[in-house]
């Protein structure tokens, strides 16, 4: 699966909207499958954009992630992504 930066951007905006404390699973983004979302949440966890916990189940092809919050790097990435001019670069 290819990395989709637009999906990552959408996920960060969605996570930012939430009030902590939370442990979020099964985030829904229009026009994206749960498999795509889970894959990208794993990428975001690996990139230290979010804090969370990865877990595997027999029903899922990709490990699921329970999101706890954005990291400092996640907030910085989101601040840059907020500007359409910066994002297009």
């Amino acid at each position: 699966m290819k990395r989709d930066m637009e999906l990552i951007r959408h996920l960060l905006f969605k996570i930012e909207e939430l009030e902590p404390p939370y442990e979020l699973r099964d985030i829904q983004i229009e026009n994206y499958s749960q498999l795509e979302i889970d894959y990208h949440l794993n990428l975001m966890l690996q990139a230290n954009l979010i804090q969370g916990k990865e877990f595997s189940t027999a029903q899922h092809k990709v490990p699921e992630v329970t999101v706890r919050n954005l990291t400092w790097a996640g907030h910085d990435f989101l601040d840059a992504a907020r500007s359409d001019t910066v994002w297009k670069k």
Side-chain angles (χ1 to χ4, degrees):
M1 184 177 301
K2 290 186 178 183
R3 182 178 64 178
D4 184 333
M5 295 305 290
E6 282 297 324
L7 176 53
I8 290 172
R9 185 181 190 209
H10 286 299
L11 288 166
L12 287 170
F13 282 129
K14 185 101 165 173
I15 294 166
E16 182 189 43
E17 291 173 1
L18 302 171
E19 293 292 327
Y22 57 84
E23 288 200 355
L24 182 63
R25 287 172 69 183
D26 298 326
I27 298 172
Q28 302 295 313
I29 304 288
E30 192 173 330
N31 299 322
Y32 290 98
S33 72
Q34 195 60 53
L35 178 64
E36 292 170 307
I37 290 169
D38 289 340
Y39 180 81
H40 284 79
L41 287 172
N42 273 287
L43 288 178
M44 292 164 63
L45 192 60
Q46 292 169 18
N48 196 35
L49 296 175
I50 58 173
Q51 287 183 334
K53 188 174 187 178
E54 180 183 294
F55 61 96
S56 298
T57 62
Q59 295 103 347
H60 292 90
K61 296 178 184 178
V62 176
E64 293 180 82
V65 173
T66 299
V67 178
R68 283 195 216 115
N69 59 294
L70 294 175
T71 62
W72 187 278
H75 281 283
D76 285 346
F77 185 96
L78 193 53
D79 286 344
R82 223 178 283 287
S83 165
D84 287 334
T85 305
V86 172
W87 183 249
K88 287 177 185 175
K89 287 182 183 181

